[in-house]
Amino acid sequence: MKVRYLGHAAFTFSHDAHTLIIDPFLSGNPRAPLKPADVAAQYVLVSHAHPDHFGDAIEIARANNATVVSNFEIGTYCQSLGVAAHTMHIGGSHRFPFGTVKLTIAHHASTIPTDSGLLTLGNPCGMLVSMGGRTIYHTGDTGLFYDMKLIGEMNPVDLALVPIGDNYTMGVADAVKAVELIRPRAAVPMHYGTFDLIAASPEEFVSKVEKLGVASKVLEPGAEMEI
């Protein structure tokens, strides 16, 4: 299974003929190595409705005839725009042709700006994505919560993708504690450095995570790893 970082909290996951993109914030992302038109994917996963995560989901889904996978409210919003969507909710899992997706809690919000103000689209979530015999836990935008330990115990995680940028999500210290609770085989930092407000040191995260006995590395936007 190949994992490619696209900056901020956006990644592609690929195995065999299947490619997923999650939280596709590319337009307006100064660190994104791709434009929406460069993406080829069958599924678009969205953890919550904030523009830096929902991002280019509609454009990518339309261009690829892809299916959006998200919570019920985001999914039905996409359907109202003529895009195919599979709706889910927290605690639920579903088997797709590529593998499975399970939604977890995330402590954050899920709103999108409209002409009449902010529209709330359900609850934010994290996503456990299993494909090619591997499981990735994309925690979404979240603060630290103790149930991460339970999530890791019930769902052995090969790779955890964890925000470290602070202010809107966990900072480095809380993100390291999250890894300690989840106990994945490996962890990669995300959601940092896109804007000055979320500047953080990914090297500090990697150093502290490795002291826990968990493999870790910094992925630069555009870089890829196999798990």
Side-chain angles (χ1 to χ4, degrees), residues 56-203:
D56 303 291
I58 298 298
E59 180 178 348
I60 292 170
R62 284 176 174 158
N64 290 272
N65 195 28
T67 300
V68 174
V69 179
S70 192
N71 69 32
F72 180 82
E73 290 79 10
I74 292 174
T76 54
Y77 176 76
C78 291
Q79 290 167 348
S80 75
L81 298 176
V83 171
H86 180 92
T87 62
M88 301 181 66
H89 248 310
I90 291 166
S93 64
H94 183 78
R95 177 165 293 280
F96 297 89
F98 62 82
T100 62
V101 174
K102 183 175 184 178
L103 303 194
T104 72
I105 63 173
H107 292 294
H108 198 59
S110 183
T111 56
I112 191 168
T114 69
D115 292 340
S116 56
L118 289 177
L119 174 65
T120 298
L121 291 176
N123 296 313
C125 68
M127 292 187 168
L128 289 158
V129 180
S130 297
M131 61 189 300
R134 298 288 186 265
T135 297
I136 295 176
Y137 179 20
H138 187 294
T139 63
D141 277 10
T142 188
L144 179 65
F145 58 96
Y146 193 68
D147 280 356
M148 287 178 165
K149 179 173 170 41
L150 183 61
I151 291 169
E153 288 175 355
M154 296 184 66
N155 307 273
V157 174
D158 294 288
L159 176 64
L161 305 173
V162 187
I164 66 167
D166 216 349
N167 196 76
Y168 296 112
T169 68
M170 294 183 286
V172 170
D174 283 4
V176 172
K177 186 64 178 182
V179 173
E180 182 181 347
L181 294 174
I182 299 165
R183 300 303 305 181
R185 288 200 305 117
V188 164
M190 65 173 183
H191 205 279
Y192 67 92
T194 318
F195 313 109
D196 291 343
L197 191 57
I198 56 171
S201 171
E203 293 80 12

Side-chain angles (χ1 to χ4, degrees), residues 8-36:
H8 205 57
F11 294 81
T12 57
F13 308 150
S14 302
H15 180 259
D16 291 339
H18 300 291
T19 296
L20 325 177
I21 186 167
I22 186 167
D23 285 0
F25 173 48
L26 306 179
S27 300
N29 179 354
R31 302 189 72 203
L34 300 178
K35 297 178 181 178

